[in-house]
Amino acid sequence: MRIRQRIVPLATAVALTGGLALTAAGPAEAARPAAGGTYLYFNKNWSNPGNSRLYLMKSIPHAKDKVLAKYRAGSGNGGRNGTNECASMQGWLPNGTYQVLGHTTHKAGGAKGINGYAIQVEDKVCKNHHTKRTALFVHSEMKPNGTQGARQPGRDNPYRWDGTNDYYSLGCIKLTPAHIKNLFAKAAHYGWPKSLKVVK
């Protein structure tokens, strides 16, 4: 199982994040969704991290929150540290609530970065209270303009979704191109989520 790099190293994260044309959430809005507001909910699958689930949820006052959309998603590199939230550039996202910082359909991160549709969330210190996970996104594999690159037989194309191995990442949450585009459409319809909850 090949492990491929999808999140840029910390040294270049600032440069790439700086290129993200964000539609930003307001400061300190995302601790918990407002009544009737939406949020993202990522449910980790310990037996198969690449087959976890991401939900778009609506907060319902005094009742069970409503699922607006559900997607297969992955986080972590699938290796021996893939479920270690404190393993930078390897493990999946730490549990907790994240503020959604913004979203774009035209991120340009280069061959080793994140391109096209992307939702950025805040940095998070993991359960060891020391290691900070940075440059965290919900994203896919595509060109900066949201289209798919050409198939490269025998090789992985970082600008193209080539199969289930593409659910692996260095910590970000990854969806297929069709699913992240659907998520953007649903979020535009129901209201953009201001937070991401990561559980299990």
Side-chain angles (χ1 to χ4, degrees):
M1 186 178 298
R2 232 159 4 121
I3 306 306
R4 297 174 354 270
Q5 191 161 312
R6 286 292 168 270
I7 303 175
V8 293
L10 182 58
T12 58
V14 174
L16 288 182
T17 303
L20 179 63
L22 293 176
T23 304
E29 286 184 288
R32 55 175 58 104
T38 63
Y39 63 97
L40 297 171
Y41 184 90
F42 182 62
N43 192 353
K44 296 173 174 176
N45 180 352
W46 282 87
S47 62
N48 185 354
N51 194 14
S52 299
R53 292 292 180 268
L54 180 70
Y55 300 83
L56 177 63
M57 304 291 297
K58 181 175 182 178
S59 176
I60 307 295
H62 313 298
K64 185 176 180 180
D65 290 353
K66 181 179 180 181
V67 176
L68 300 175
K70 174 183 177 181
Y71 310 96
R72 177 177 175 175
S75 183
N77 68 6
R80 64 185 182 88
N81 288 321
T83 57
N84 180 356
E85 69 174 53
C86 295
S88 293
M89 311 295 285
Q90 299 176 69
W92 56 13
L93 269 70
N95 291 351
T97 300
Y98 299 69
Q99 181 179 358
V100 171
L101 301 178
H103 59 274
T104 180
T105 58
H106 289 85
K107 180 157 173 40
K112 293 186 178 180
I114 296 161
N115 295 282
Y117 286 63
I119 301 168
Q120 186 179 11
V121 300
E122 66 180 323
D123 298 345
K124 178 71 72 175
V125 175
C126 76
K127 62 185 177 183
N128 69 14
H129 307 294
H130 174 72
T131 303
K132 180 183 282 189
R133 304 298 301 277
T134 62
L136 304 175
F137 294 83
V138 179
H139 70 101
S140 187
E141 293 196 8
M142 56 182 64
K143 293 180 178 181
N145 66 2
T147 64
Q148 289 286 282
R151 189 179 300 280
Q152 298 177 350
R155 296 177 55 197
D156 173 67
N157 184 346
Y159 299 105
R160 179 185 180 86
W161 191 270
D162 292 304
T164 56
N165 278 353
D166 286 338
Y167 280 109
Y168 296 121
S169 72
L170 302 185
C172 290
I173 296 172
K174 291 182 71 181
L175 306 173
T176 66
H179 282 171
I180 198 165
K181 289 179 178 182
N182 182 269
L183 172 58
F184 268 62
K186 297 278 190 183
H189 177 74
Y190 290 108
W192 267 94
K194 294 182 171 63
S195 64
L196 162 69
K197 296 181 179 181
V198 177
V199 299
K200 292 188 179 179

